[in-house]
Amino acid sequence: TKTDAEWRAILSPEAYYVTRQHGTERPFSGQYYRNSSVAGQYHCICCGSLLFESNTQFDAGCGWPSFSLAADESGITRIVDRSHGMERVEVRCTQCDAHLGHVFPDGPEPTGERYCINSVALDFEER
């Protein structure tokens, strides 16, 4: 558990805005948007928890990195988000409560889900 001041000290301003204030980076601007051909693992930028494997990443054309499956479902917390006049499912890191993005029911099989995740919320470890 970190204080707000500690999060501000260790995160970039954009990462702080997205992960701690539930913001969103601009579409098509994130460093991992077109990273699906590189093998590796995606970790939470705040606490280092493993969130996604690169073999589940796909190009959904939405402007953010998209994944069809979490590395471990217990590492992702789902919360109903009724902001902006719509109902969506927000996803957060279970370990540190960082806002990651949202999950939608329009992904590929076998899950049918699309995790739409902010690049700035992720740290990539190439294999």
Side-chain angles (χ1 to χ4, degrees):
T1 303
K2 291 183 174 40
T3 66
D4 188 60
E6 289 172 317
W7 284 123
R8 283 184 188 273
I10 63 172
L11 297 170
S12 71
E14 188 176 19
Y16 176 82
Y17 167 68
V18 169
T19 61
R20 308 323 304 175
Q21 296 182 313
H22 307 275
T24 302
E25 66 190 2
R26 288 178 299 122
F28 305 102
S29 69
Q31 67 178 343
Y32 301 128
Y33 169 61
R34 295 196 182 271
N35 200 47
S36 60
S37 64
V38 182
Q41 297 178 321
Y42 291 90
H43 298 263
C44 177
I45 194 70
C46 295
C47 70
S49 292
L50 175 61
L51 300 171
F52 301 99
E53 298 280 352
S54 62
N55 63 348
T56 67
Q57 186 174 4
F58 65 100
D59 184 1
C62 64
W64 292 273
S66 296
F67 303 89
S68 59
L69 183 68
D72 179 351
E73 284 295 324
S74 68
I76 302 284
T77 300
R78 296 172 183 234
I79 299 166
V80 175
D81 175 2
R82 292 187 175 92
S83 63
H84 306 291
M86 63 182 105
E87 186 171 308
R88 303 175 289 174
V89 178
E90 177 188 4
V91 289
R92 296 184 190 176
C93 174
T94 300
Q95 181 68 33
C96 69
D97 204 37
H99 169 76
L100 305 171
H102 292 84
V103 63
F104 300 96
D106 61 359
E109 294 302 327
T111 65
E113 293 188 318
R114 172 177 56 95
Y115 286 90
C116 184
I117 306 297
N118 291 283
S119 286
V120 75
L122 301 172
D123 185 30
F124 183 69
E125 183 182 312
E126 189 173 345
R127 279 198 202 121

